[in-house]
Amino acid sequence: MRLPLLLTTALSAAFLAAAPVLFPAPAQAQEGKTFRYAYRVDPASLDPHALAETFTLSWLGQVYEPLVGRGKKLELVPALATTWEQPEPNVWRFHLREGVKFADGTPLTADDVVFSLQRVKKDGSDMAYTVASVTDIKKVDDLTVDLVMAKPNPILPVQITSTYIMSKAWAEKNGATAPASVKAKVENFASTNANGTGPFMIASRQAGVKTELVPNPNWWGEKSSNVDKVVFTPIQSDATRVAALLSGEVDMVYPVPQQDVARIEGNDGTKVIKGSELRTMMLAMDQHRDELQNSDAKGKNPLKDKRVRQAIYQAIDMNAIRDRIMGGTSHIAGTMIAPGINGYDPKLDDRAAPYDPEASKKLLAEAGYPNGFTFTMDCSNDRYVNDERICQAIVGMLGRVGLKVTLNAQTRSKFFEKVLSRDTSFAMIGWQPLSYDAHSTLQDTMNTPVEKVGTYNVGNYSNPKVDELTQKIEVEVDPAKRNAMIFEAMMLDKADYGHIPVHQAGLAWGVRKGVNVVQRSDDSLELKWVSVD
């Protein structure tokens, strides 16, 4: 029996260098409406399996598609699969949409799905965690694929909503059968070229400068946008990005710095759309090395001591960061998951300990560091809202309790390359579960790093009980039991000061009046829903 959303509907409700022109633009792309928008950075790669970064995956979601998608309210919706079911407890069967074609006209078949998911599991992929539970991928027939697991995984469909399907023939023809890892600085044809089944396709691209997209004439979906051409421009400078909107150079910019909201709202031709992020910013601390890198604490790693981690926690004034840097728009986080993520419990969201610099000094003295110690903090300067300013503030706050921290702020490409190889002592990083479920946060940022899990656990936090609970949560179908285990695991990390959650930032998109967009709390702009008056 084929049911459109089956078990996952209930779960989703409860959880919630210049590249060549790829394809000639359709004739109508020279007519109709043009939508011009800017974000602070460019996609890190066009390879859909190269980097698990929210913006890159969101942007590529205009060109590539998953088996299971997300709607305007982040609900599960059919995408390349129209229905899915569990014929056996450890098997998920996906029935593919008939008549789907890639942008180059090649039909989508089960062979493409099998190839793509096998590619996701290869070395170099940053998306392997989304199918970590899958042990085998089987073609049943041309339009049916089985994903087999060693043990039941009731939430698999919510885990793969950003796991994109590629053309096997195209990848083989162009030498792109393996992922081109951004972290390892690997590139292949898929890094700079794309061929998906999505509503748009890339007409031309100058990496870091401008990308033009046009509607994919082969797209299976019903067109709801009146846009016939999209021009995307990365503009890193906040001031330049806002100026481009106010001058009419672009139709939309995001994110909008809090200090510019009133200016945009006061302009007759523009407005600001506001919301809240699902991404939690956090501080990761090296709890693995026996000697802390770039530190005068020779032969020791102070961050292994819970007292030191708590001292860092209590030295940071989160209220000041919210009020002075985030303009009062952020939600101070007491836990590693945001409101709106399945498994969130407001009882978890209280801070583990109050801001108290004097308590920090006492804890450092008790741990044997009355005069503090030196270390380096890694931070991006172009990835998250006010990222470098937040890190500068934290460095200053830690300095007031005797911790002498050197800030290493870099562009996101260099930042991710460094911290994801765990070449860091102390770093600020963000995580938004692609599944919108707490299990992803546990598996990917808190589980002991091993094989394809713990990828974003850059501080190597390790608690065997958290690992055990994470495995149980993945297979538990009873929501009450599942939420109880999520609560327990999150409390263990909190008690360990394994991470320091910072906040969830506010969302602010600036748009020209007459431009209609749908703002989702995952900060994803879907071009298929954009219309221009």
Side-chain angles (χ1 to χ4, degrees), residues 1 21 36-37 49 58 79 82 97 128 145 150 152 158 222 224 237-238 273 278 304 349 395 405 463 497:
M1 179 189 229
V21 173
R36 304 157 301 165
Y37 76 110
H49 307 147
S58 168
T82 55
R97 191 178 297 276
V145 177
V158 305
E222 181 179 349
S224 59
S237 165
D238 289 342
I273 304 173
L278 290 177
K304 282 190 169 186
D349 217 2
V395 167
V405 185
N463 184 321
Y497 294 92

Side-chain angles (χ1 to χ4, degrees), residues 67-103:
L67 294 174
V68 183
R70 295 279 181 179
K72 294 180 179 180
K73 296 182 179 179
L74 294 177
E75 72 277 15
L76 286 187
V77 296
L80 293 181
T82 55
T83 59
W84 45 95
E85 64 202 16
Q86 286 185 277
E88 300 174 33
N90 67 327
V91 176
W92 275 101
R93 176 165 293 170
F94 294 87
H95 302 278
L96 305 184
R97 191 178 297 276
E98 296 184 16
V100 175
K101 294 182 179 180
F102 289 93

Side-chain angles (χ1 to χ4, degrees), residues 21 37 64 78 100 126 177 245 254 274 325 336 467-468 520 527:
V21 173
Y37 76 110
Y64 287 102
V100 175
D126 203 36
T177 56
L245 175 66
Y254 71 121
K274 301 174 185 177
I325 298 176
M336 295 279 282
D467 297 349
E468 178 189 341
R520 299 194 314 197
L527 296 176

Side-chain angles (χ1 to χ4, degrees), residues 442-464:
L442 288 163
Q443 175 183 265
D444 305 314
T445 71
M446 299 162 72
N447 199 100
T448 303
V450 57
E451 296 181 353
K452 303 299 183 181
V453 300
T455 306
Y456 282 74
N457 182 358
V458 301
N460 278 286
Y461 168 70
S462 181
N463 184 321

Side-chain angles (χ1 to χ4, degrees), residues 156-456:
L156 180 68
V158 305
Q159 294 176 321
I160 60 172
T161 55
S162 293
T163 307
Y164 298 132
I165 305 303
M166 300 176 69
S167 164
K168 178 183 179 183
W170 181 84
E172 290 177 341
K173 176 183 177 182
N174 294 294
T177 56
S181 170
V182 169
K183 291 183 287 187
K185 297 183 178 179
V186 174
E187 290 193 357
N188 61 29
F189 190 78
S191 303
T192 53
N193 297 267
N195 177 34
T197 60
F200 286 82
M201 62 186 192
I202 298 173
S204 64
R205 176 166 166 79
Q206 290 177 280
V209 180
K210 182 176 72 173
T211 303
E212 294 187 355
L213 301 97
V214 295
N216 177 4
N218 291 319
W219 189 46
W220 54 266
E222 181 179 349
K223 183 175 179 180
S224 59
S225 169
N226 66 348
V227 172
D228 285 326
K229 181 179 180 181
V230 176
V231 180
F232 169 74
T233 306
I235 304 177
Q236 181 176 347
S237 165
D238 289 342
T240 304
R241 198 165 58 248
V242 170
L245 175 66
L246 294 174
S247 69
E249 183 181 347
V250 297
D251 302 307
M252 173 181 164
V253 298
Y254 71 121
V256 171
Q258 183 59 33
Q259 64 268 23
D260 291 312
V261 168
R263 186 177 168 206
I264 293 173
E265 290 182 329
N267 182 51
D268 285 342
T270 55
K271 62 181 179 179
V272 176
I273 304 173
K274 301 174 185 177
S276 297
E277 280 193 346
L278 290 177
R279 177 189 294 112
T280 297
M281 299 304 302
M282 67 190 77
L283 301 172
M285 298 163 283
D286 177 13
Q287 295 158 66
H288 179 69
R289 289 183 178 84
D290 292 326
E291 181 174 298
L292 192 63
Q293 295 186 119
N294 305 312
S295 175
D296 59 5
K298 300 302 180 183
K300 300 178 181 178
N301 181 353
L303 298 180
K304 282 190 169 186
D305 191 320
K306 175 183 170 180
R307 293 170 296 182
V308 173
R309 298 195 299 272
Q310 182 177 346
I312 293 173
Y313 190 108
Q314 293 196 258
I316 300 172
D317 187 347
M318 296 298 180
N319 288 332
I321 291 173
R322 178 194 61 198
D323 298 339
R324 299 174 194 170
I325 298 176
M326 304 302 290
T329 62
S330 60
H331 169 77
I332 295 174
T335 185
M336 295 279 282
I337 51 174
I341 299 294
N342 178 64
Y344 171 83
D345 188 321
K347 293 191 293 293
L348 285 168
D349 217 2
D350 292 331
R351 298 292 291 169
Y355 167 62
D356 189 340
E358 292 306 313
S360 294
K361 292 176 184 178
K362 290 179 182 178
L363 285 164
L364 288 170
E366 290 174 12
Y369 306 98
N371 299 315
F373 53 92
T374 63
F375 58 104
T376 299
M377 179 179 191
D378 290 301
C379 185
S380 58
N381 59 18
D382 61 358
R383 175 62 190 97
Y384 308 109
V385 178
N386 295 327
D387 43 9
E388 187 171 10
R389 289 182 62 201
I390 295 168
C391 291
Q392 288 171 339
I394 290 172
V395 167
M397 293 169 185
L398 296 181
R400 289 195 283 273
V401 300
L403 295 170
K404 296 168 279 294
V405 185
T406 300
L407 179 60
N408 179 34
Q410 303 184 88
T411 62
R412 87 194 204 281
S413 58
K414 292 181 179 179
F415 168 76
F416 281 123
E417 178 188 338
K418 188 173 190 294
V419 302
L420 292 181
S421 63
R422 296 186 179 82
D423 177 21
T424 187
S425 299
F426 185 59
M428 185 176 78
I429 193 167
W431 185 255
Q432 174 178 286
L434 296 177
S435 62
Y436 309 112
D437 184 83
H439 177 266
S440 170
T441 299
L442 288 163
Q443 175 183 265
D444 305 314
T445 71
M446 299 162 72
N447 199 100
T448 303
V450 57
E451 296 181 353
K452 303 299 183 181
V453 300
T455 306
Y456 282 74

